[in-house]
Amino acid sequence: SQDQPVNTDWYKTVTRTALYQNSEFNILSGSDKSSLALNVGHYNENSIVEDSKYSRTTLRLVNDFKITEKLKLDTRVNVGFTNITPKNAGALTTAYRQSPIVPVFYEDGRYGQSFVGSDGYAGYTGTDFNNVGNPLMQLDFQNEKSKNINLVMGVKLDYKFTNSLKYVANFGGEFNNYRGYSFYDAKGAFLANDPSRVETDYTDEKYNSLYFIRSNNFEWNFNNFVTFNKVLGDIHDIELMGGIEMIHTGGGEELN
């Protein structure tokens, strides 16, 4: 029928005007003995897809110290906090394919589906005239979130015994903590996919599912070297270096 009562703009239904914010705060200071640089940043982004969110907060701290004429200490710390609420961008493809005669919701609040009756009108019951679902339902039934904390640090020590003999030690480490979950409402999706279904049609063969993951990982490396450099007779350049390095990777846990 040409006089359908519904003319759904599916793109308008599943998208929004997306805004993002980026803020930074900086402190710089220094003297002949030390220097400091601090940066705090926050970034927040809303995707054009409804309910899709991303935010990140970072802190960077750099300190350099000249303890004596021979001894120097440098430190570096970076911390990042990330929060993500993802949504399936495939809903945009579904919105492109779904017919505008399908309502977003029926009067009883259930999700509109592509059914058409014998009179040619889209409605609550009838024949399924395509295999495309409700794109808003596709977004609403994706329940997923994740959080991540990442810490990277480094310490460097320089000691100058003489103009020819120097000692350098470096320690660096990275810690990462991730937590996330995803939930699928199988019963709700079963009922929403066909508005004529009732709860007694649902069988125990279709289970709700909750997936949870947590992981912690810590890696580090440590090296220290002694360097000797000497020029003899303005023509012979002698350089010797000796040291040791230790690396630890893969430490942590993961739970699913």
Side-chain angles (χ1 to χ4, degrees):
S1 177
Q2 298 301 307
D3 55 344
Q4 296 287 336
V6 174
N7 185 19
T8 302
D9 185 340
W10 284 109
Y11 268 118
K12 186 176 181 180
T13 301
V14 299
T15 62
R16 62 186 173 184
T17 300
L19 301 176
Y20 75 90
Q21 297 172 323
N22 190 26
S23 304
E24 288 196 14
F25 174 76
N26 293 281
I27 294 178
L28 299 174
S29 68
S31 68
D32 58 345
K33 295 293 185 180
S34 65
S35 65
L36 177 145
L38 173 65
N39 172 270
V40 179
H42 179 73
Y43 178 81
N44 186 73
E45 177 184 286
N46 293 321
S47 167
I48 64 169
V49 178
E50 281 286 352
D51 295 329
S52 181
K53 301 175 183 177
Y54 173 86
S55 67
R56 179 184 68 245
T57 301
T58 57
L59 183 147
R60 298 180 181 89
L61 178 64
V62 178
N63 274 329
D64 298 330
F65 300 98
K66 186 178 180 181
I67 301 173
T68 68
E69 290 298 322
K70 294 184 176 182
L71 182 62
K72 295 181 180 179
L73 178 66
D74 302 333
T75 62
R76 307 285 188 272
V77 178
N78 293 319
V79 185
F81 304 87
T82 305
N83 293 276
I84 303 175
T85 303
K87 289 295 181 180
N88 190 349
L92 297 175
T93 302
T94 305
Y96 173 76
R97 298 175 58 204
Q98 185 54 279
S99 170
I101 69 173
V102 177
V104 180
F105 295 102
Y106 295 111
E107 291 183 358
D108 63 357
R110 301 191 69 173
Y111 291 97
Q113 300 293 349
S114 52
F115 290 97
V116 64
S118 58
D119 56 0
Y121 287 94
Y124 202 87
T125 59
T127 303
D128 190 355
F129 62 85
N130 67 32
N131 62 350
V132 183
N134 186 311
L136 183 62
M137 185 188 79
Q138 188 175 348
L139 296 178
D140 289 347
F141 275 84
Q142 181 180 4
N143 188 341
E144 185 176 352
K145 288 186 178 181
S146 66
K147 294 183 178 182
N148 191 75
I149 301 174
N150 181 258
L151 169 65
V152 180
M153 64 170 294
V155 179
K156 180 183 178 183
L157 181 70
D158 291 86
Y159 187 77
K160 186 177 180 181
F161 293 98
T162 67
N163 289 335
S164 300
L165 187 62
K166 299 177 182 179
Y167 171 74
V168 178
N170 285 288
F171 175 81
E174 180 176 0
F175 172 76
N176 194 77
N177 173 265
Y178 175 85
R179 292 179 295 163
Y181 78 87
S182 63
F183 173 74
Y184 180 66
D185 182 1
K187 180 179 180 180
F190 172 79
L191 297 173
N193 275 314
D194 187 339
S196 65
R197 292 172 179 169
V198 294
E199 291 198 15
T200 54
D201 295 327
Y202 181 73
T203 68
D204 291 337
E205 296 176 359
K206 303 177 181 65
Y207 295 99
N208 295 342
S209 63
L210 174 64
Y211 177 74
F212 178 79
I213 182 172
R214 183 184 70 195
S215 65
N216 293 297
N217 188 65
F218 179 62
E219 301 180 354
W220 58 267
N221 65 81
F222 174 70
N223 60 71
N224 56 105
F225 295 92
V226 176
T227 304
F228 176 80
N229 183 274
K230 187 73 174 179
V231 178
L232 302 176
D234 294 330
I235 57 174
H236 300 292
D237 190 348
I238 299 175
E239 184 170 340
L240 301 174
M241 183 177 67
I244 186 172
E245 183 175 35
M246 292 178 287
I247 300 176
H248 175 76
T249 62
E253 64 173 355
E254 182 170 324
L255 299 175
N256 293 312

